[in-house]
Amino acid sequence: MTTLPAATDSPPRTASRRELGVFLRSRRERIQPDEVGFAPGGRRRTPGLRREEVALLAGVGVTWYTWLEQGRDINVSVQVLESVANTLRLDRQERTHLFTLAGVQFGPSRAECTVIPDSVQRTLDAVSPYPAVVLNARYDILAFNQAYCQVVLDLREIPVEERNMLWVTFVSREWRCSFIESESMRMHMVAGFRAAMADHLGEPAWQDLVARLLAGSTHFAELWERYDVGAPSNRIKVLENAKAGVLRIEPVNMWLSQLGQLRATVYTAADGDTETKLQALVGDRVS
């Protein structure tokens, strides 16, 4: 089952393997030995399970698993990945992240789109008074409607090169409203970005964004170090608009599959009071 590392490796694949090792270490360190039947005693240099314990539970060789965490270019089968994922108690998003980093594809790769058809913009405009925005996997803001500018954030005031949802959330000070329970929102955003980046390791645009976010926000750096992975959330969000007051909005995520990894999010009213406020706010009837 064990094969020697390849002599050469392409930069993207090397980055993926390196990231895979970091991910595996972070996952095994969160599992306490007594949770899986090992005695908690003994001196441990790091928290959680040892490599040899993960290998034993997963039914793989210690050397093979060690090489996997070291980022070596070894052959990885679906069955072995499943066993490792089960041992580390990975959830659905984490499991997908593991397979992506290991180079096991679930389908054809999708090209990135940067040009939004007029039909998409017309659709965003048509859902007013509900705020709507289109993001790519990197959280770049590619399109939005007037309702989004009035209710959530006036993106028209932000330079095009800074129109990235992570940037305006963690670094920019241009928000016109504040999300209540915003910490949960930020955690989900970083987790979604971490998961998406597995398909783009080594790409300059992604590396540059991460570097700028780490340099510009200690909060982002703290969440990034947690190594959580996730997907866009459909949970109801509560925000306080300067004119309309408290609003309860529910995001509806729609994937624009014909355009690649693009997502249109429409924020609908979660209750009748919010519906009334949105109608008034977007219609400029709120004083």
Side-chain angles (χ1 to χ4, degrees):
M1 180 179 65
T2 302
T3 59
L4 291 175
T8 59
D9 200 3
S10 62
R13 184 173 175 86
T14 299
S16 295
R17 291 288 178 165
R18 189 164 51 243
E19 191 83 353
L20 175 61
V22 176
F23 178 61
L24 288 172
R25 287 192 295 275
S26 72
R27 299 305 89 172
R28 69 173 167 85
E29 288 176 357
R30 69 180 181 179
I31 301 176
Q32 296 305 310
D34 56 350
E35 295 177 5
V36 290
F38 290 112
R43 299 185 62 181
R44 292 175 178 267
R45 292 180 298 175
T46 59
L49 296 178
R50 298 187 177 102
R51 287 172 175 170
E52 55 267 27
E53 291 170 338
V54 174
L56 177 62
L57 292 171
V60 300
V62 176
T63 299
W64 181 90
Y65 183 78
T66 299
W67 283 358
L68 188 66
E69 274 205 9
Q70 289 175 344
R72 301 206 191 188
D73 188 23
I74 58 177
N75 293 329
V76 183
S77 69
V78 173
Q79 292 78 10
V80 171
L81 282 181
E82 286 286 359
S83 182
V84 171
N86 292 334
T87 298
L88 296 178
R89 301 180 176 182
L90 303 187
D91 61 25
R92 182 176 60 85
Q93 293 297 328
E94 292 171 330
R95 189 178 299 260
T96 300
H97 193 63
L98 171 67
F99 274 71
T100 301
L101 292 175
V104 179
Q105 298 296 327
F106 294 99
S109 60
R110 293 167 291 181
E112 183 174 290
C113 175
T114 57
V115 179
I116 302 298
D118 292 339
S119 58
V120 173
Q121 184 62 59
R122 290 196 299 269
T123 301
L124 298 184
D125 295 337
V127 301
S128 182
Y130 299 145
V133 64
V134 173
L135 308 175
N136 62 11
R138 198 169 53 239
Y139 282 84
D140 293 329
I141 302 166
L142 304 181
F144 51 89
N145 63 5
Q146 182 179 349
Y148 192 93
C149 294
Q150 293 178 267
V151 176
V152 183
L153 169 68
D154 194 349
L155 296 170
R156 298 167 298 188
E157 298 180 354
I158 299 177
V160 174
E161 63 273 13
E162 295 183 16
R163 290 180 185 174
N164 175 277
M165 197 61 69
L166 289 163
W167 184 261
V168 298
T169 299
F170 286 95
V171 181
S172 175
R173 298 293 180 266
E174 300 293 338
W175 286 102
R176 285 185 54 185
C177 68
S178 59
F179 279 93
I180 301 174
E181 299 180 353
S182 58
E183 180 62 16
S184 175
M185 179 194 71
R186 290 185 174 92
M187 290 172 58
H188 278 92
M189 287 181 64
V190 175
F193 179 64
R194 170 73 84 173
M197 191 171 178
D199 282 321
H200 303 277
L201 293 172
E203 296 183 17
W206 288 74
Q207 291 180 321
D208 176 68
L209 177 59
V210 172
R212 290 190 294 117
L213 288 168
L214 291 173
S217 171
T218 56
H219 190 191
F220 175 85
E222 292 170 358
L223 294 178
W224 189 249
E225 287 301 316
R226 293 177 51 160
Y227 218 110
D228 292 334
V229 293
S233 171
N234 291 322
R235 294 174 53 188
I236 292 176
K237 293 176 172 56
V238 182
L239 62 86
E240 185 171 3
N241 181 276
K243 292 184 177 180
V246 175
L247 302 171
R248 298 180 71 250
I249 55 178
E250 184 172 7
V252 177
N253 294 302
M254 296 172 287
W255 298 96
L256 307 178
S257 56
Q258 75 277 17
L259 300 178
Q261 296 176 302
L262 301 189
R263 166 169 54 98
T265 300
V266 179
Y267 294 94
T268 63
D271 53 44
D273 181 61
T274 298
E275 179 73 38
T276 300
K277 289 180 178 179
L278 288 178
Q279 293 285 351
L281 180 62
V282 177
D284 290 329
R285 293 192 296 274
V286 174
S287 58

